[in-house]
Amino acid sequence: MPSVLATALAPQIDPLYDARWDSPTLSENATIPPVILHENLDGDIVITLDAENRLIALALIDGDTMWDVELLAPIDPRCETCIQVAGDTVIALTSDAVLHAYDVLTGDLVWERVLTTPADRLLILAGNPTVVSESADFAGLALRSYDASTGVSRPSIVPTCQSGGIRHTLTATSPVIVAPDGQSVITLLGAGSGCAQRWNAAGELVWETTATTADHWPGSWLDNTPLITSDALIFTGSTPERLLTLDRATGDLREIADFAGASLHPWSTVGDTVIVYVESSAESTTPQLWGINPHSGAHAWTFDFHIANESWTA
């Protein structure tokens, strides 16, 4: 993959988007290598993975390499979150189920933790690295947290619930969403029926909402990534024409819209508007963007794509 770092970060460097520098060639293992920006008083740092499987830290202002560390095992190319920053520590989760913690300014190894079970996601919860890995107690996944400074284990979260006569657990496709303030996490379990749970950083359940087919709970979480708004999660329901909203504070679940014949993908938020990518609808067979009110579900506006290249996707 050619160097893309300078172009990607140019808007943060210069209002005219002029490229100031080029990074070393980045990793070809992922479509887009993870790029993390760490802000600090000594100068902002860009952390990414180069073509030789080295974790590198670059000064944002000029692209100079501040440090680099060779990883003995690769990072799973499917894991877009396997490089994170927790305070002044860079955390990397490699495919051999090892967590590595490095000082963000020097690259010195702070600690390493060999996980007892494989992990497929790395999150930061209350400033501490948290992995999604197999539970030692039952068939399902758990959230295992470690102190960012020492690597010492913290309370685990084991999501499970009963709904529709079925016991649901966390799976590889279950969404796990850390709140914007980083102090709590929401897990969405089950397909067809299931539940939503909010947990605090101490591993305590804050609320649980169960859902059945009557609530139009999604039948699959593949290609159905929940969108975080100021106060809720928004995702498609049992069919791609339904939009559901889940209040992050209370767990209240409700359907806000049912656009017959549409295939919806919540995409982004701007102010009090949710921008939804619409693959097709009853009115159009070409992609569109819709502006949706996240509280009422009202369809405020439509933007039509005029796409010459049919391979383009949003």
Side-chain angles (χ1 to χ4, degrees), residues 110-198:
V110 179
W111 54 263
E112 259 181 353
R113 182 73 184 243
V114 179
L115 306 179
T116 56
T117 57
D120 67 355
R121 277 171 279 183
L122 173 61
L123 314 168
I124 302 298
L125 178 60
N128 296 300
T130 302
V131 297
V132 180
S133 66
E134 295 176 8
S135 170
D137 303 319
F138 63 90
L141 300 180
L143 278 68
R144 303 188 180 280
S145 191
Y146 303 91
D147 186 273
S149 301
T150 64
V152 172
S153 295
R154 294 174 51 81
S156 294
I157 295 173
V158 185
T160 182
C161 70
Q162 289 282 144
S163 177
I166 301 173
R167 180 172 176 266
H168 300 284
T169 61
L170 196 68
T171 69
T173 60
S174 301
V176 178
I177 300 100
V178 177
D181 65 2
Q183 298 302 308
S184 64
V185 63
I186 293 176
T187 56
L188 304 178
L189 312 181
S193 65
C195 68
Q197 297 175 328
R198 179 184 172 191

Side-chain angles (χ1 to χ4, degrees), residues 268-314:
S268 183
T269 59
V270 177
D272 204 29
T273 299
V274 173
I275 300 176
V276 177
Y277 175 70
V278 185
E279 286 188 35
S280 60
S281 65
E283 293 78 26
S284 175
T285 58
T286 59
Q288 298 175 320
L289 290 182
W290 289 1
I292 304 292
N293 184 298
H295 306 291
S296 67
H299 180 182
W301 51 262
T302 298
F303 173 80
D304 282 295
F305 284 109
H306 298 285
I307 303 175
N309 182 359
E310 294 182 355
S311 68
W312 185 91
T313 57

Side-chain angles (χ1 to χ4, degrees), residues 34-224:
V35 177
I36 306 297
L37 177 64
H38 179 265
E39 300 180 15
N40 68 82
L41 296 177
D42 295 324
D44 297 341
I45 301 171
V46 177
I47 299 148
T48 189
L49 197 64
D50 74 4
E52 299 179 353
N53 200 45
R54 301 181 71 87
L55 196 64
I56 59 173
L58 310 172
L60 178 62
I61 189 65
D62 55 18
D64 284 351
T65 300
M66 299 180 60
W67 54 263
D68 61 86
V69 174
E70 182 179 2
L71 299 176
L72 298 182
I75 288 177
D76 189 330
R78 299 165 297 179
C79 185
E80 298 178 356
T81 63
C82 281
I83 299 174
Q84 299 276 8
V85 172
D88 290 328
T89 306
V90 180
I91 310 293
L93 172 62
T94 47
S95 59
D96 56 351
V98 178
L99 272 180
H100 313 261
Y102 303 97
D103 184 280
V104 73
L105 295 180
T106 66
D108 293 338
L109 182 66
V110 179
W111 54 263
E112 259 181 353
R113 182 73 184 243
V114 179
L115 306 179
T116 56
T117 57
D120 67 355
R121 277 171 279 183
L122 173 61
L123 314 168
I124 302 298
L125 178 60
N128 296 300
T130 302
V131 297
V132 180
S133 66
E134 295 176 8
S135 170
D137 303 319
F138 63 90
L141 300 180
L143 278 68
R144 303 188 180 280
S145 191
Y146 303 91
D147 186 273
S149 301
T150 64
V152 172
S153 295
R154 294 174 51 81
S156 294
I157 295 173
V158 185
T160 182
C161 70
Q162 289 282 144
S163 177
I166 301 173
R167 180 172 176 266
H168 300 284
T169 61
L170 196 68
T171 69
T173 60
S174 301
V176 178
I177 300 100
V178 177
D181 65 2
Q183 298 302 308
S184 64
V185 63
I186 293 176
T187 56
L188 304 178
L189 312 181
S193 65
C195 68
Q197 297 175 328
R198 179 184 172 191
W199 303 82
N200 63 23
E204 300 167 334
L205 184 63
V206 178
W207 53 251
E208 177 180 289
T209 298
T210 58
T212 66
T213 54
D215 300 302
H216 306 295
W217 193 247
S220 170
W221 291 105
L222 294 173
D223 199 28
N224 188 8

